[in-house]
Amino acid sequence: MTPHFSIVIALFNKERFIEKTIHSVLNQTLQDFEIIIINDGSTDASLEKVELINDDRISVFTTKNLGVSHARNYGIQKAKGHDIAFLDADDYWESEFLESIKGLIEKYPNESVFASALKIKTNKKIYNASYRDIEQTGQEHVVDYFEASQDHSILHCSCSVFKQEALKQIGSFDEYLNTSEDTDFWIRTGFKFKVVFLNKPLAIHQVVDNSLSSTN
């Protein structure tokens, strides 16, 4: 049976975080998903931590260290779901993230890109990302990516979901970029699609050293 969501997790040396990340998916109120983990040549105990979690919906693929863009692209290739969500290996979701996104997909069937607001967690505090150009009336908005992202990007690799057909139009993550590969991807997304944005922080981004976005 085809899962509704495929969650793609690119994993490189996140032994301290990956269990919490995976369990935040397994604990979702909506359970119609598969988890695709691309182990991008981790040299710590990340893979061992993943293997401790027994769930048939988890698939793990190990490659040599080719970078986060390659890992995400490989995960997209392996995905069977109707819609693809990305989740960084040191971030996590609130339990209603997938259910809320599925509600948006059903409510806006002609749209292809969906996202929730983001919380940001540092060693000292946790706070909501600010979206000053999002209307304050209501939680749901169909917005232009560029207009809505002048303060903080409304798309992030832990709060964004794409229909499969949309990814085919956007193209792959650029494997030649050593940094800002996600920003490049969001820009290409914004040229082609509006974003259905839920102004409710349901994804938590942890600011840590050795993040995937800072590696090759």
Side-chain angles (χ1 to χ4, degrees), residues 80-175:
K80 302 182 181 72
H82 299 291
D83 302 301
I84 296 179
F86 298 104
L87 181 58
D88 282 351
D90 46 11
D91 295 344
Y92 55 98
W93 289 337
E94 301 287 7
S95 61
E96 67 269 30
F97 176 82
L98 287 179
E99 183 175 8
S100 298
I101 294 294
K102 189 170 187 290
L104 295 181
I105 292 169
E106 293 172 346
K107 188 172 181 178
Y108 301 92
N110 295 324
E111 303 299 334
S112 299
V113 182
F114 307 85
S116 83
L118 193 70
K119 291 181 184 177
I120 300 173
K121 182 178 181 181
T122 69
N123 290 331
K124 296 181 179 180
K125 63 179 180 178
I126 183 168
Y127 59 95
N128 295 342
S130 59
Y131 305 97
R132 62 183 177 182
D133 294 302
I134 297 290
E135 296 178 31
Q136 296 304 309
T137 55
Q139 287 188 322
E140 302 168 14
H141 309 278
V142 180
V143 298
D144 175 89
Y145 169 75
F146 301 101
E147 292 179 357
S149 298
Q150 295 181 53
D151 194 352
H152 192 283
S153 174
I154 58 172
L155 295 177
H156 182 276
C157 275
S158 293
C159 68
S160 304
V161 178
F162 299 78
K163 290 184 177 179
Q164 279 268 21
E165 290 302 315
L167 291 176
K168 293 177 183 177
Q169 295 185 52
I170 297 164
S172 302
F173 285 89
D174 191 333
E175 298 182 19

Side-chain angles (χ1 to χ4, degrees), residues 5-11 18 21-22 25 33-39 57 59 61 68-81 83-89 93 98 157-162 164 167 173 212:
F5 290 103
S6 293
I7 294 97
V8 174
I9 301 175
L11 173 62
I18 186 60
T21 298
I22 294 172
V25 180
F33 58 76
E34 64 173 353
I35 302 174
I36 299 172
I37 298 173
I38 308 301
N39 175 38
R57 293 169 296 180
S59 299
F61 303 90
V68 61
S69 291
H70 178 270
R72 290 185 185 132
N73 291 336
Y74 191 48
I76 292 169
Q77 292 173 23
K78 295 295 183 181
K80 302 182 181 72
D83 302 301
I84 296 179
F86 298 104
L87 181 58
D88 282 351
W93 289 337
L98 287 179
C157 275
S158 293
C159 68
S160 304
V161 178
F162 299 78
Q164 279 268 21
L167 291 176
F173 285 89
L212 271 167

Side-chain angles (χ1 to χ4, degrees), residues 183-202:
T183 301
D184 169 75
F185 192 82
W186 310 146
I187 290 171
R188 286 187 279 123
T189 298
F191 283 138
K192 292 182 178 294
F193 297 101
K194 297 286 189 180
V195 178
V196 182
F197 182 72
L198 179 64
N199 199 8
K200 182 179 180 181
L202 297 177

